[in-house]
Amino acid sequence: MHIPAIRDPRDDGITLNDKYSSKIALIGCGPASISCATFLARLGYKDLTIFEKQDYLGGLSSSEIPQYRLPYDAVNFEIQLAQDLGVKIVPNKPLTIEKDGLTVKKLLNEQGYKAIFLGIGLPNPNIDPMFKDLTKNEGFYTSKNFLPLVSKSSKAGKLPII
């Protein structure tokens, strides 16, 4: 696509039309939103904000993948690249259906966002009906309750908190 790897969002010497100044919200600060925001910024979009429900960044890359499989430095590099391109990240801001929370309707109608990217991942595991009644006490774990334990111990003290 011939998109430069680094673009200074303050002054790149290129005049873009008004669409590139449109506010764009990205929900979830995991791999999908980080990648989307980075590419949009590299294309010239200047008003990008990622909203993350947790107090750490990186999504499942941070919370479920152990350090020995995906070093946090690699995740942090991608986050820092997006921020270097002018992407704003707001932690502790979950998408809700409550009227006083962050909603799609509010983002579009009240806060002036023109587009919203939903990169919320898969919050719950798909469990075969055959196993639906099994619990951790019976030795049944899913990736959503086992991998965070492994990851947390391998990355202790390394998750970026903004």
Side-chain angles (χ1 to χ4, degrees), residues 29-42:
C29 193
S33 292
I34 294 167
S35 178
C36 181
T38 299
F39 274 95
L40 287 172
R42 289 166 60 190

Side-chain angles (χ1 to χ4, degrees), residues 41-57:
R42 289 166 60 190
L43 286 169
Y45 289 89
K46 294 181 174 45
D47 198 349
L48 304 164
T49 304
I50 299 175
F51 296 97
E52 170 55 49
K53 75 176 179 178
Q54 305 294 344
D55 62 351
Y56 61 87
L57 309 178

Side-chain angles (χ1 to χ4, degrees), residues 67-83:
Q67 174 77 14
Y68 68 89
R69 297 290 290 169
L70 178 62
Y72 193 73
D73 289 345
V75 178
N76 194 40
F77 174 82
E78 295 297 330
I79 293 167
Q80 192 60 54
L81 176 61
Q83 290 176 317

Side-chain angles (χ1 to χ4, degrees), residues 8 10 21 31 36 41 46 53 58 60 64 79 95 104 107 112 117 137 140 145-146 154:
D8 185 345
R10 295 166 290 184
S21 296
C36 181
K46 294 181 174 45
K53 75 176 179 178
L60 76 89
E64 294 186 23
I79 293 167
L95 185 65
V104 170
L107 287 170
F117 176 83
N137 292 338
F140 179 76
N145 56 27
F146 178 72
S154 73

